[in-house]
Amino acid sequence: MSRPELRLSARTLRDNIAAVTSRLDGCELMLVLKDDAYGHGLTWTVETAVQAGVASFGSYDVRGGLDVRRLVGPEARVFAWATSTDAEIDEALLQGIDLGVGTVEYLHRIIARAEALGAVARVHLKIDTGLHRNGVLPEDWPGAIAQARAAEAAGQLSLEGIWSHIAEASDREDDDAQAVFLDAVRAAGGTGPTPAALHLTASAASWWRPELRGTVARIGAFCYGIRSADGPELEGVRPVARLVAPVARVEEGRAVIEVGAFDGLPSTLVGARVGTPAGARVLERIEPFFAQIEGWAGLSVGDEVTIFGPGEAGESSATTLAERIDTVGEEILTRLSPRIRRVPVD
Ligand SMILES: *Cc1c(COP(=O)(O)O)cnc(C)c1O
């Protein structure tokens, strides 16, 4: 090895998926793949997840959803929730992508495109439970449901799901959000069959607040082994990715590795502990193209440094690093540049 690499453990991803699935206790896992599968790489992640039995995938936008569809074939559910252009809607309808719909305007456009193409739009309507992050307002909900039902009767739409997003900031706010969500589900159920996919929770709430789960849980972070910042370790879940770099030079007894701020390593991480053959050592300097680490006995070129990974001898995980700089582990992973090769190791 001469360059830094992000090593990916398929075994760990499969184990995490199994741990999350078992924790979900019958609620279906939708594996969230946004930001190139949280920096792990879409193709590798989807192929591994399919081997682990995942049959439902969440992709932020239609473009990503189409990539997932090409990888998983026609059967799996692929859900894309970003509001899309008409051209993207057309592609989504032709490829059987489930669309997350958070405005009445978007619903109208989807129905119009389904009518024009003679296709059936698979729709998950989103209720705004108070986050104001896209979602039909409760006062507009009956109208949106009526539109969806009319389109259903006309053969242009299938109401597959009802969903929303919660802040996971406080239990009370999440409980209030769930109450609004359940009202919306009831209102829909009063006008026709209740949609099968009811989804409100992401990683943390799905894991810690089972009473908030619907029939589907949209989970990214915990499947990749990224625990919540300031949150506890998770039983059966370990980081999938390990960022390693060989020592490129030794300078005044210190190790220099060729990963720097321009590769996505935040320069504010100075002071964090990284793994070395001699145990954890302090990251002393981060420059645009390299970083420098406290030395160790026997330090030599080619020694391997673990910047983050499954924590062993006091080294860091992506979340431990993130906690130093008040962010989340997802950000540490998704900032890593394409120059860092993604390398499957098992
Ligand atoms: C990112 C995202 C998720 C997954 O969140 P995690 O905390 O990574 O599990 C779920 N739903 C939506 C809408 C998201 O944007």
Side-chain angles (χ1 to χ4, degrees):
M1 180 186 62
S2 59
R3 286 202 296 160
E5 351 182 288
L6 188 70
R7 293 193 185 148
L8 304 170
S9 167
R11 183 182 309 160
T12 307
L13 179 56
R14 289 194 299 266
D15 288 350
N16 291 351
I17 287 169
V20 166
T21 303
S22 140
R23 183 92 179 183
L24 289 179
D25 196 21
C27 168
E28 189 192 5
L29 167 66
M30 178 190 288
L31 178 64
V32 175
L33 298 163
K34 66 187 176 210
D35 293 321
D36 200 28
Y38 291 50
H40 295 70
L42 186 72
T43 303
W44 176 84
T45 302
V46 170
E47 285 172 355
T48 307
V50 166
Q51 289 165 16
V54 177
S56 177
F57 297 90
S59 168
Y60 171 70
D61 58 8
V62 165
R63 189 179 303 259
L66 294 169
D67 290 339
V68 178
R69 174 63 77 215
R70 277 188 281 277
L71 292 165
V72 297
E75 295 302 323
R77 186 205 298 278
V78 181
F79 175 65
W81 65 85
T83 303
S84 307
T85 64
D86 284 5
E88 288 167 334
I89 294 170
D90 286 0
E91 286 254 47
L93 297 182
L94 295 173
Q95 295 300 325
I97 307 288
D98 288 22
L99 294 170
V101 179
T103 68
V104 173
E105 184 273 337
Y106 188 36
L107 179 63
H108 286 166
R109 283 200 293 123
I110 290 171
I111 293 169
R113 294 316 306 156
E115 189 177 3
L117 291 180
V120 181
R122 300 169 56 88
V123 164
H124 299 228
L125 263 187
K126 182 176 188 188
I127 177 79
D128 182 345
T129 51
L131 269 192
H132 306 300
R133 231 177 83 172
N134 183 269
V136 176
L137 293 169
E139 57 265 38
D140 298 332
W141 186 253
I145 289 290
Q147 294 276 345
R149 293 299 189 197
E152 224 170 19
Q156 293 147 359
L157 185 146
S158 164
L159 189 58
E160 295 289 317
I162 295 176
W163 69 294
S164 194
H165 199 81
I166 54 176
E168 295 181 338
S170 83
D171 282 1
R172 234 207 63 202
E173 281 170 85
D174 291 348
D175 290 340
D176 291 348
Q178 186 193 30
V180 176
F181 179 73
L182 293 177
D183 281 347
V185 171
R186 265 190 295 277
T191 63
T194 300
L198 306 175
H199 42 118
L200 182 62
T201 55
S203 286
S206 297
W207 188 276
W208 301 111
R209 306 272 336 263
E211 65 282 9
L212 297 184
R213 287 183 213 132
T215 59
V216 172
R218 301 182 309 269
I219 300 192
F222 287 9
C223 287
Y224 302 101
I226 306 168
R227 69 172 165 82
S228 306
D230 303 317
E233 296 293 334
L234 308 160
E235 203 183 318
V237 168
R238 283 163 54 83
V240 167
R242 176 190 291 280
L243 178 61
V244 295
V247 173
R249 304 191 291 283
V250 176
E251 282 177 3
E252 297 175 0
R254 297 181 160 85
V256 176
I257 55 172
E258 293 185 336
V259 185
F262 285 11
D263 301 304
L265 198 64
S267 49
T268 44
L269 285 177
V270 165
R273 293 162 79 76
V274 299
T276 77
R281 287 293 184 279
V282 174
L283 192 52
E284 294 180 330
R285 243 174 97 190
I286 300 176
E287 297 293 328
F289 298 106
F290 68 87
Q292 179 187 295
I293 296 145
E294 177 193 2
W296 56 89
L299 161 61
S300 40
V301 168
D303 282 358
E304 197 168 286
V305 172
T306 296
I307 299 153
F308 63 75
E312 271 143 32
E315 63 203 39
S316 300
S317 71
T319 301
T320 318
L321 292 183
E323 285 165 345
R324 290 187 67 85
I325 56 171
D326 269 342
T327 181
V328 293
E330 290 88 322
E331 190 175 342
I332 301 290
L333 276 150
T334 57
R335 282 173 63 132
L336 293 178
S337 81
R339 197 181 79 87
I340 298 187
R341 278 181 307 169
R342 274 61 176 171
V343 180
V345 289
D346 63 24

